[in-house]
Amino acid sequence: MNILLLGSGGREHALALKMSQSTLCGQLFIAPGNAGTAQCGQNVNMGVSDFDKIKAFCLDNAIDLVVPGSEEALVNGIYDFFKKDAALQHIPVMGPSQEGAQLEGSKAYAKLFMERHGIPTAAYREFNVHSYDEGVAYLQQHSLPIVLKADGLAAGKGVVIATTYEEAVEEFEQMIKSAKFGDASKVVVIEEFLAGIELSVFAITDGHTYQILPEAKDYKRIGEGDQGLNTGGMGAVSPVPFADQAFMEKVEEQIIRPTIAGLSAEGIIYNGFVFFGLINVGGEPFVIEYNCRMGDPETEVVMPRLKNDLLELFNAVIAGQLAEQTIYADERAAATVMLVSKGYPEAYNKNKVITGIPAPTRDQMVFHAGTRQEGNEVLTNGGRVLAVTSLAANLSMALAHSVQTAEQVNFEGKVYRRDIGYEFV
Ligand code: AMP
Ligand code: GLY
């Protein structure tokens, strides 16, 4: 089958590599891709939400499957765009309908969904410009800290954890009255702070049945010891030691099963990945957020541990035969260390020459994130540049191998964390 994968990050390189290893893979195109995806297939210079161009490309290249890597195209309705177009409707899109993508696209939608289906999550209220005064009063009687969330997509920046009432009210005002996150903060969810340790759990679904993929934990802060600014992710590990059988049974019974049953009961079309951003509060799982796609950098540890043929799983989703599949995970531990550009997540320079990327082995691969090829050279092209993933008998060995390679790869201004998975080693 011919595949079009949408995106250009480390997640997309990991997905591209995994799909390219399948005997079912015909031609693999990645739009727009990076220097790493170009080693797995053919990059196409096309934006992930440029639906008209995507349509023409799919028809010209006999595409059999479209795989959106990030939420952008999904929240913009690529699934529905294909289904409503007579020329395209035979081409499956591995992702939810626009409505299903609202689980990620609107925090208020996700909260209501969880409320309807009894899924454990932080207590909350939502407010808008009309209920502004009520919101301020709600904040002032709320316990501290208080979590404020812009309803819509805000490039990962729409969540503020306020530790004082002054800060909470000021943030609330900026979000609603000064459109701090544009339309995304027209509605604000105010919720209870949950203290615990987070993890990412992934399922693949056809909207009725599901299979659970290996879980992971990502590290969002720029600095070691989880200090400093939030980033798109500085590394990840899989498995997550505290996600033992007893905990994962609770996750499945209290969260995954009711989520998929809820989608099915409400007739929400959902094919593809569900990312459950969870927090473990004293042994009990709660949902922090849903995402309608895989995580980045979690994909860079999950895909290397997934033994199944990913295209076989996608075909099972399309055929509604996911229940017949079994997920096989590599017993080994995986650790990803992200190499980023100096200055990230604030201003940083691009176009630095990258050298010293080792060839992949059975135990290690370097996924490209913000890179581009120019002639014979690979140049930095983003904040997050490369993701070094190693597999080993245990987490500390996997991390040590990734750190060793992170030292060997070179580009000016390279920054990385040496303590990914520190709680577990
Ligand atoms: P989100 O954009 O929903 O993933 O939120 C960003 C981050 O804010 C999460 O990864 C958590 O670390 C934190 N967070 C969000 N909601 C809560 C909550 N209710 N309690 C504690 N931390 C939270
Ligand atoms: N690593 C978190 C995310 O992909 O949203």
Side-chain angles (χ1 to χ4, degrees):
M1 56 207 281
N2 296 334
I3 298 153
L4 173 62
L5 170 66
L6 301 174
S8 60
R11 167 182 47 213
E12 285 73 28
H13 187 188
L15 290 171
L17 179 66
K18 187 77 183 155
M19 291 193 288
S20 71
Q21 290 165 344
S22 168
T23 52
L24 300 169
C25 190
Q27 281 195 285
L28 173 61
F29 299 97
I30 308 96
N34 60 35
T37 62
Q39 295 163 12
C40 309
Q42 193 181 321
N43 286 350
V44 185
N45 188 9
M46 186 163 71
V48 303
S49 285
D50 195 342
F51 293 174
D52 291 325
K53 262 198 190 162
I54 291 173
K55 172 178 175 175
F57 184 85
C58 287
L59 296 177
D60 289 348
N61 292 278
I63 294 298
D64 300 299
L65 175 67
V66 176
V67 182
S70 76
E71 66 282 8
E72 184 188 318
L74 293 164
V75 172
N76 288 338
I78 192 165
Y79 181 92
D80 309 71
F81 178 84
F82 270 64
K83 275 297 156 270
K84 283 184 191 141
D85 189 307
L88 293 177
Q89 57 191 202
H90 67 286
I91 305 173
V93 174
M94 195 46 53
S97 60
Q98 191 164 25
E99 171 152 33
Q102 288 298 296
L103 282 182
E104 173 162 3
S106 164
K107 306 263 186 211
Y109 179 96
K111 284 297 214 180
L112 280 169
F113 179 88
M114 287 186 267
E115 203 165 73
R116 286 198 296 279
H117 300 290
I119 295 164
T121 186
Y124 84 105
R125 291 266 310 267
E126 65 169 278
F127 298 96
N128 59 29
V129 70
H130 306 294
S131 51
Y132 179 80
D133 292 340
E134 234 179 290
V136 171
Y138 183 74
L139 283 174
Q140 278 160 344
Q141 55 78 50
H142 200 287
S143 59
L144 291 171
I146 310 171
V147 183
L148 291 101
K149 298 184 172 183
D151 175 54
L153 295 179
K157 298 199 170 77
V159 175
V160 173
I161 297 174
T163 50
T164 66
Y165 291 109
E166 292 70 28
E167 186 190 353
V169 173
E170 193 185 317
E171 272 300 331
F172 186 61
E173 198 211 316
Q174 281 182 14
M175 284 193 191
I176 292 210
K177 295 214 159 155
S178 314
K180 181 172 176 187
F181 299 107
D183 282 354
S185 62
K186 274 188 168 166
V187 170
V188 173
V189 165
I190 297 177
E191 71 177 33
E192 166 199 18
F193 178 81
L194 298 175
I197 179 159
E198 288 175 65
L199 82 158
S200 307
V201 171
F202 303 95
I204 184 165
T205 185
D206 55 15
H208 306 286
T209 61
Y210 59 86
Q211 294 291 344
I212 303 173
L213 303 177
E215 78 286 353
K217 183 174 195 309
D218 78 338
Y219 292 80
K220 291 204 177 81
R221 301 299 190 98
I222 186 73
E224 292 183 357
D226 289 333
Q227 301 295 314
L229 295 173
N230 257 322
T231 70
M234 294 296 291
V237 298
S238 177
V240 178
F242 68 79
D244 55 14
Q245 199 183 334
F247 182 78
M248 288 306 287
E249 273 169 17
K250 288 184 188 172
V251 170
E252 181 166 9
E253 290 314 312
Q254 297 170 20
I255 294 170
I256 301 176
R257 196 185 298 278
T259 297
I260 306 303
L263 292 170
S264 177
E266 294 190 28
I268 299 168
I269 297 171
Y270 201 117
N271 294 307
F273 299 111
V274 192
F275 170 154
F276 300 87
L278 306 183
I279 190 161
N280 174 354
V281 184
E284 299 302 320
F286 288 79
V287 177
I288 292 276
E289 62 167 351
Y290 286 112
N291 294 309
C292 60
R293 38 122 187 132
M294 286 298 292
D296 195 347
E298 290 95 327
T299 307
E300 291 95 306
V301 284
V302 171
M303 286 303 143
R305 288 195 63 228
L306 182 68
K307 287 184 164 174
N308 298 64
D309 179 327
L310 186 58
L311 293 182
E312 213 172 285
L313 288 178
F314 287 166
N315 276 340
V317 169
I318 295 160
Q321 290 171 345
L322 203 49
E324 292 161 27
Q325 297 284 320
T326 305
I327 298 297
Y328 299 99
D330 194 318
E331 292 294 314
R332 292 176 298 168
T336 291
V337 172
M338 192 64 79
L339 276 56
V340 307
S341 302
K342 185 167 187 271
Y344 174 78
E346 298 183 296
Y348 56 83
N349 289 321
K350 292 185 186 179
N351 301 316
K352 305 295 182 191
V353 177
I354 306 171
T355 57
I357 300 177
T361 66
R362 226 187 119 258
D363 306 320
Q364 190 175 76
M365 50 232 88
V366 178
F367 295 115
H368 291 232
T371 71
R372 67 183 181 87
Q373 186 94 31
E374 197 175 282
N376 287 331
E377 288 184 327
V378 177
L379 305 179
T380 68
N381 191 37
R384 292 194 292 170
V385 176
L386 295 167
V388 183
T389 297
S390 305
L391 291 153
N394 61 48
L395 205 52
S396 49
M397 283 165 68
L399 177 66
H401 292 166
S402 286
V403 167
Q404 204 174 22
T405 297
E407 275 162 17
Q408 284 162 14
V409 174
N410 269 309
F411 59 87
E412 194 187 306
K414 173 186 74 176
V415 172
Y416 62 94
R417 280 178 63 169
R418 293 159 190 272
D419 70 337
I420 299 304
Y422 66 88
E423 313 97 310
F424 309 129
V425 299

